[in-house]
Amino acid sequence: MSHSGLHYMEVRELARLIATREISPVEVTTAMLERIERLDPTLHSYALVMRDEALASAREAERKVLNGEALGPLHGVPLAVKDLYWCAGSPTAAGTTIHRNFVPTEDATAVKRLRDAGAIVLGKLQLTEGAFATHHPEIAEPVNPWHPGHWAGASSSGSGVATAAGLCYASLGTDTGGSIRFPSAANGLTGIKPTWGRVSRHGVFALGASLDHPGPMARSAADASLLLGAIAGHDPLDPTSLPEARLVLPDDAHDLGGLRIGIDAEWNSNGTDDVIVHALARVVEVVKSLGAQVEEVRVPDVRTVVDEWQVNCGVEVAVAHADTYPRLAAHYGPALTRLIEIGRETSGMAYQQVLLNRAALRGKINRLMSGIDLLIVPMQPFAAPTHEQLGALAQDPELNARLIQFTAPFNSSGHPAIALPCGLTQGGLPIGFQFVAAHGAEALLCRAGMAYQKASDWHRLHPAL
């Protein structure tokens, strides 16, 4: 089979070709490794390419196909994971220099579940330092494949770049304040931030434990749904994981009939670039055409919780790094250093007030979601920001609060969201939006994402590489 266009094929289509023996796992893995070797020296999306291990896994996947033992819709499909996830026998640096020689002896639960589903792990994808705002000064930052002058998203930057550039078929990221959704917007991808606890955090380096949401990033809602279905479910190794053993997700969706979808036009347009506001108006027309009832709602005031996100995350990251900071403080970059210091300087009383404010917001969002099925929200106020626009992000709390105003509230509340591409800027760069749902309603998000993508083609656009 010709390899032309193979790298942008959707997971479901590739899996069908593998299952029917029209292409072999070894053939597709080799092609993907060759593409990584050719393009990634410029894009810097991979922290580590696990070439030998990937090829060995591909040979085993091929053996099972030939023996009629295929494991399901991810069997033989080459994926990659953010370098926060443990992979047994491979270094997991978490975007730092201090952990570059840490080699776990077991897979993260989410990685193990991908492997159990037959997926092939190509390697570890680069991220910002410790999964906070900016990359470590000694590590090459992943490059947006649509335009190198623009932000690739954070913190799952490598996951966004590799998936968009056709250097893996889908990937795992994590989202603490927007870190699946930002790179999905920047790279024209679909990403799912699940309900907190839906995906095990065992074997995933923590940024802010109660804010961290592991989840999938892909080139379509159908593919993201496949990955989420594989990795979700209770894990005895993570006692905070939700009790459901398995998440049942739809295989397909064509309409949104019977759904009530809320939109707070005033909140959505608060400091938001016009191109995003106009794109959201088109989203509303699409969901109406799919049978949904759209209602004007009022989102509760999130400003206090957004302003306090750094304090909340700072305390938790200070705990996560207690073994290495301040002992190895000289090896930390400026952004993560500042965040840890915020946490170390916060009093117990101040932190308790943060937690009370967060719990109150969770209750208010629960009340809002009790009257609707989905909420339409921008991903960020800036459309395809340049590096210069976000240059002060690490040191400017006000800029950081503006950036996360539409994402962090749902990390703090734990509500699930799906990020979907919905347009292009005048310069041809992707922009996106998110559907938010009630706790536990990932199946509804996947249905909405798949139906929306039946009526739109934004997710089928790719960077010219």
Side-chain angles (χ1 to χ4, degrees):
M1 177 179 176
S2 169
H3 289 164
S4 176
L6 179 66
H7 47 276
Y8 284 140
M9 191 171 287
E10 289 194 20
V11 170
R12 291 186 184 221
E13 175 63 12
L14 178 64
R16 185 189 67 78
L17 295 177
I18 289 172
T20 56
R21 304 185 189 180
E22 295 174 60
I23 190 168
S24 78
V26 172
E27 187 179 6
V28 72
T29 300
T30 300
M32 193 57 57
L33 289 167
E34 289 174 352
R35 185 170 171 84
I36 293 168
E37 186 175 0
R38 179 165 60 87
L39 294 179
D40 209 51
T42 301
L43 295 175
H44 308 301
S45 65
Y46 277 82
L48 174 70
V49 178
M50 294 156 49
R51 181 182 181 85
D52 292 345
E53 183 178 339
L55 288 171
S57 296
R59 287 190 288 269
E60 176 62 13
E62 185 167 317
R63 183 191 68 77
K64 289 185 175 180
V65 170
L66 294 174
N67 289 341
E69 302 172 13
L71 298 174
L74 293 178
H75 187 91
V77 176
L79 309 174
V81 302
K82 186 175 181 177
D83 196 27
L84 285 179
Y85 291 83
W86 295 358
C87 287
S90 296
T92 300
T96 72
T97 58
I98 58 172
H99 293 302
R100 61 176 31 144
N101 295 319
F102 168 68
V103 179
T105 57
E106 63 176 319
D107 285 340
T109 296
V111 173
K112 180 180 185 301
R113 289 178 175 173
L114 287 182
R115 294 193 200 274
D116 288 346
I120 294 161
V121 179
L122 292 167
K124 315 295 293 298
L125 297 166
Q126 196 55 267
L127 64 149
T128 54
E129 186 185 13
F132 185 47
T134 61
H135 297 81
H136 191 282
E138 296 179 20
I139 294 175
E141 180 176 346
V143 174
N144 188 320
W146 293 82
H147 192 292
H150 289 258
W151 193 45
S155 66
S156 307
S157 51
S159 299
V161 170
T163 306
L167 305 185
C168 59
Y169 286 92
S171 58
L172 295 186
T174 60
D175 193 311
T176 307
S179 295
I180 285 173
R181 290 162 289 167
F182 291 146
S184 292
N187 293 282
L189 300 176
T190 300
I192 300 175
K193 182 198 82 66
T195 304
W196 189 82
R198 176 66 75 193
V199 176
S200 171
R201 291 179 293 109
H202 175 71
V204 183
F205 266 108
L207 173 58
S210 75
L211 299 163
D212 293 344
H213 297 65
M217 298 171 65
R219 294 192 289 266
S220 71
D223 285 358
S225 175
L226 270 183
L227 264 71
L228 181 61
I231 65 176
H234 180 67
D235 176 17
L237 297 175
D238 177 4
T240 67
S241 62
L242 296 176
E244 293 87 353
R246 186 168 175 269
L247 180 63
V248 179
L249 298 172
D251 289 329
D252 203 356
H254 295 274
D255 64 60
L256 299 176
L259 296 187
R260 298 172 63 187
I261 299 182
I263 184 164
D264 185 337
E266 182 180 348
W267 183 55
N268 285 354
S269 61
N270 181 28
T272 305
D273 288 351
D274 286 345
V275 66
I276 297 176
V277 174
H278 295 323
L280 289 180
R282 292 194 299 270
V283 169
V284 168
E285 293 308 309
V286 171
V287 300
K288 285 180 178 177
S289 74
L290 291 168
Q293 177 181 335
V294 177
E295 305 176 9
E296 187 68 38
V297 298
R298 181 58 57 89
V299 172
D301 192 337
V302 302
R303 287 174 295 183
T304 297
V305 168
V306 169
D307 289 343
E308 292 176 343
W309 181 91
Q310 286 203 44
V311 173
N312 191 167
C313 190
V315 171
E316 295 189 18
V317 75
V319 172
H321 287 255
D323 289 344
T324 52
Y325 191 98
R327 181 170 60 88
L328 300 176
H331 298 280
Y332 279 71
L336 191 56
T337 294
R338 185 180 64 81
L339 185 64
I340 291 173
E341 287 294 343
I342 287 172
R344 291 171 65 87
E345 293 167 4
T346 299
S347 71
M349 289 180 66
Y351 185 58
Q352 174 61 14
Q353 187 60 58
V354 167
L355 297 182
L356 291 172
N357 292 339
R358 183 176 164 188
L361 178 64
R362 184 184 305 117
K364 291 174 183 177
I365 295 176
N366 282 340
R367 188 160 62 246
L368 169 65
M369 298 310 302
S370 70
I372 55 174
D373 297 297
L374 297 168
L375 182 68
I376 292 175
V377 186
M379 232 100 77
Q380 61 204 37
F382 315 115
T386 64
H387 292 297
E388 288 72 22
Q389 279 179 281
L390 297 182
L393 185 64
Q395 304 298 333
D396 186 341
E398 185 176 336
L399 176 61
N400 194 68
R402 277 197 68 203
L403 178 66
I404 66 175
Q405 69 188 50
F406 298 120
T407 52
F410 306 109
N411 293 93
S412 293
S413 70
H415 289 84
I418 186 169
L420 299 161
C422 64
L424 297 174
T425 67
Q426 190 172 359
L429 294 163
I431 53 177
F433 78 102
Q434 55 184 328
F435 284 125
V436 178
H439 288 133
E442 286 87 350
L444 186 57
L445 287 177
C446 291
R447 173 192 167 188
M450 286 188 275
Y452 176 78
Q453 290 181 345
K454 287 283 174 61
S456 67
D457 290 325
W458 301 114
H459 65 293
R460 299 190 188 282
L461 301 179
H462 307 295
L465 294 173

